[in-house]
């Protein structure tokens, strides 16, 4: 061969680094904002029956119509306003691939969910991060200024924001939504079930508004990757042009549908997580040298007045995996813990108190 494979790669891709999740041994996992509870046994029985009767030899429904129909009924939106994705990640990629490109900026506050910037780079679209205030509040005027600096833009707002955990002020977000510019505004409501704060009722008023949600968090389906987009048909019809044909496997569609049909039971687990979040907040408050930040999600961001790397290592030595976010800037000496089961939260607090 007269050439190197590296010579064939797009120059903008060549400089990227892959998103790698390190394999770290642990006894208690509290790092990834997952639901700590597995699917209840009675629901597993329903899923088992579905697996037994499932036609694995057939391609899945490319439109995920049954799942969209169920979501349509629960959310009171038309089925044509729904697109199902292989997790919200895939839908974020579709949005940027459809509306990004030359002369478009992907704008987002920082720190936030890193996938927005990653997919902007993958699709050759300029990524523009706008730092939050020291209190992790949205600087909407600066975001609007960035919107005005490009021909077109896609604005991503994680609501509540990951990793800070807070919902930004509704007025600040409304200022961005109502600003006159050629922009798609994406509200990523992955943690909606924990915050209860949504912009979904505004969908009919603002044609350029997109809402993202997921089954990975509150519904405990992180291992199956099911997310969904709610947007006006003028947007969803464009997304369908770039969507992979069979992007959601048939079993994931069925299991997500089963969980929707057991929504009341799953709500009990959500309420338990919220109670444990409050208990964890109260426990952290009593520990000297730790500052925690308000959370509307299923995780808590906190800062230590010592060395975050050493504290992270202390947790690992005791078998507890949390997320080390320590870096210069707004997240210096910050770590993030996912709300776990009561015994997991007790173990976390015991280690934190001992340091």
């Amino acid at each position: 061969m007269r050439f190197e494979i590296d010579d064939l790669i797009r120059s903008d891709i060549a400089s990227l680094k892959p998103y790698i999740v390190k394999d770290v041994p642990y006894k208690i996992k509290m790092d990834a904002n997952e639901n700590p509870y597995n699917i209840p046994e009675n629901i597993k029985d329903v899923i088992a029956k579905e697996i037994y009767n499932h036609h694995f030899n057939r391609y899945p429904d490319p439109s995920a119509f049954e799942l969209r129909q169920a979501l349509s009924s629960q959310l009171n939106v038309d089925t044509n306003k729904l697109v199902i994705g292989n997790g919200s990640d895939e839908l974020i990629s579709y949005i940027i691939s459809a509306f990004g490109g030359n002369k478009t900026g992907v704008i987002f506050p920082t720190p936030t969910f890193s996938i927005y910037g990653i997919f902007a780079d993958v699709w050759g679209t300029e990524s523009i991060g706008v730092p939050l205030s020291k209190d992790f509040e949205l600087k909407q005027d600066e975001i609007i200024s960035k919107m005005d600096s490009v021909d077109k833009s896609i604005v991503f707002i994680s609501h509540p924001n990951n990793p800070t955990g807070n919902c930004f002020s509704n007025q600040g977000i409304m200022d961005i939504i109502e600003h006159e510019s050629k922009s798609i505004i994406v509200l990523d409501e992955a943690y909606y079930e924990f915050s209860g704060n949504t912009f979904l009722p505004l969908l009919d008023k603002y044609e350029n508004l997109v809402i993202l949600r997921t089954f990975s968090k509150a519904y405990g389906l992180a291992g199956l990757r099911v997310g969904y987009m709610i947007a006006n048909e003028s947007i969803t019809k464009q997304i369908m042009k770039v969507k992979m044909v069979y992007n959601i496997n048939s079993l994931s569609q069925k299991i997500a549908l089963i969980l929707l049909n057991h929504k009341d039971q799953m709500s009990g687990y959500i309420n338990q997580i919220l109670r444990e979040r409050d208990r964890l907040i109260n426990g952290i408050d009593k520990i000297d040298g730790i500052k925690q930040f308000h959370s509307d999600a299923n995780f808590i961001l906190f800062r230590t007045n010592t060395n975050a790397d050493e504290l992270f290592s202390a947790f690992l030595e005791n078998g507890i995996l949390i997320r080390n976010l320590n870096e210069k800037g707004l997240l210096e000496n910050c770590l993030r813990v996912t709300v776990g089961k009561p015994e997991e939260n007790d173990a976390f607090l015991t280690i934190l108190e001992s340091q």
Side-chain angles (χ1 to χ4, degrees), residues 54-74:
H54 199 76
H55 295 285
F56 291 97
N57 57 315
R58 301 299 183 191
Y59 284 109
D61 173 8
S63 73
F65 180 74
E66 278 189 288
L67 182 54
R68 286 192 301 120
Q69 196 172 42
L71 285 168
S72 169
S73 177
Q74 289 199 12

Side-chain angles (χ1 to χ4, degrees), residues 186-254:
V186 183
L187 273 295
D188 188 347
E189 297 184 355
Y191 302 94
Y192 157 70
E193 288 84 359
F194 304 109
S195 73
N197 194 320
T198 181
F199 283 79
L200 182 59
L202 300 180
L203 200 68
D204 287 340
K205 186 176 180 181
Y206 300 98
E207 188 179 10
N208 61 333
L209 183 61
V210 176
I211 306 292
L212 296 179
R213 291 190 185 169
T214 182
F215 283 84
S216 294
K217 309 301 181 183
Y219 282 94
L221 282 189
L224 288 186
R225 315 303 299 125
V226 183
Y228 57 98
M229 169 196 298
I230 317 158
N232 286 291
E233 197 171 351
S234 57
I235 291 178
T236 60
K237 71 179 183 181
Q238 303 302 332
I239 297 299
M240 294 303 291
K241 295 176 182 179
V242 299
K243 186 183 83 70
M244 297 290 287
V245 179
Y246 301 114
N247 63 321
I248 299 294
N249 72 75
S250 54
L251 190 57
S252 290
Q253 292 184 35
K254 290 291 187 181

Side-chain angles (χ1 to χ4, degrees), residues 15-29:
S15 61
L16 299 183
K17 295 181 179 179
Y19 188 104
I20 297 174
V21 179
K22 294 181 180 179
D23 186 14
V24 180
Y26 60 85
K27 294 178 182 177
I28 299 175
K29 193 174 190 298

Side-chain angles (χ1 to χ4, degrees), residues 37-311:
Y37 299 100
N38 202 348
I39 295 172
E41 293 300 318
N42 66 303
I43 300 180
K44 283 184 179 180
D45 290 340
V46 179
I47 292 171
K49 291 178 181 176
E50 172 59 41
I51 291 173
Y52 183 81
N53 294 303
H54 199 76
H55 295 285
F56 291 97
N57 57 315
R58 301 299 183 191
Y59 284 109
D61 173 8
S63 73
F65 180 74
E66 278 189 288
L67 182 54
R68 286 192 301 120
Q69 196 172 42
L71 285 168
S72 169
S73 177
Q74 289 199 12
L75 300 172
N76 194 30
V77 298
D78 191 273
T79 54
N80 291 330
K81 293 183 177 181
L82 289 157
V83 180
I84 310 299
N86 189 11
S88 296
D89 294 5
E90 183 182 42
L91 296 170
I92 293 166
S93 177
Y94 289 161
I95 292 167
I96 299 174
S97 68
F99 294 100
N102 233 359
K103 298 183 179 180
T104 300
V106 171
I107 305 170
F108 45 84
T110 59
T112 195
F113 189 34
S114 62
I115 290 295
Y116 308 143
I118 290 171
F119 278 133
D121 292 341
V122 167
W123 289 110
T125 303
E126 182 184 7
S127 61
I128 305 170
V130 178
L132 297 171
S133 72
K134 291 181 179 179
D135 297 323
F136 299 134
E137 285 300 330
L138 196 66
K139 294 181 179 178
Q140 64 267 27
D141 291 341
E142 291 188 23
I143 289 177
I144 288 170
S145 176
K146 295 298 184 183
M147 292 164 70
D148 289 339
S149 72
V150 292
D151 286 358
K152 301 177 294 179
S153 64
I154 307 167
V155 180
F156 285 95
I157 299 175
S158 177
H159 186 73
N161 187 47
N162 175 23
T164 59
N166 58 314
C167 282
F168 303 127
S169 77
N170 281 11
Q171 186 56 55
I173 295 173
M174 284 305 304
D175 289 347
I176 292 168
I177 293 173
E178 293 185 329
H179 183 64
E180 289 289 338
S181 65
K182 294 180 180 179
S183 301
I184 300 293
I185 312 297
V186 183
L187 273 295
D188 188 347
E189 297 184 355
Y191 302 94
Y192 157 70
E193 288 84 359
F194 304 109
S195 73
N197 194 320
T198 181
F199 283 79
L200 182 59
L202 300 180
L203 200 68
D204 287 340
K205 186 176 180 181
Y206 300 98
E207 188 179 10
N208 61 333
L209 183 61
V210 176
I211 306 292
L212 296 179
R213 291 190 185 169
T214 182
F215 283 84
S216 294
K217 309 301 181 183
Y219 282 94
L221 282 189
L224 288 186
R225 315 303 299 125
V226 183
Y228 57 98
M229 169 196 298
I230 317 158
N232 286 291
E233 197 171 351
S234 57
I235 291 178
T236 60
K237 71 179 183 181
Q238 303 302 332
I239 297 299
M240 294 303 291
K241 295 176 182 179
V242 299
K243 186 183 83 70
M244 297 290 287
V245 179
Y246 301 114
N247 63 321
I248 299 294
N249 72 75
S250 54
L251 190 57
S252 290
Q253 292 184 35
K254 290 291 187 181
I255 292 175
L257 184 59
I258 289 168
L259 285 176
L260 277 182
N261 291 334
H262 290 81
K263 184 178 180 180
D264 290 344
Q265 185 175 355
M266 297 306 297
S267 294
Y269 287 90
I270 295 168
N271 291 333
Q272 175 68 11
I273 291 168
L274 292 176
R275 286 191 294 269
E276 281 299 303
R277 182 184 70 188
D278 292 342
R279 190 172 72 86
L280 203 52
I281 287 170
N282 291 333
I284 296 172
D285 261 344
K286 298 173 183 176
I287 301 173
D288 292 335
I290 300 293
K291 178 184 179 180
Q292 63 178 316
F293 300 92
H294 175 77
S295 175
D296 295 300
N298 67 331
F299 58 85
I300 298 168
L301 181 74
F302 63 96
R303 176 178 285 125
T304 174
N305 64 3
T306 57
N307 186 291
D309 296 339
E310 293 177 2
L311 182 55

Side-chain angles (χ1 to χ4, degrees), residues 340-352:
K341 298 176 182 177
E343 62 273 19
E344 295 171 340
N345 297 329
D346 289 341
F348 167 83
L349 289 172
T350 297
I351 300 303
L352 192 60

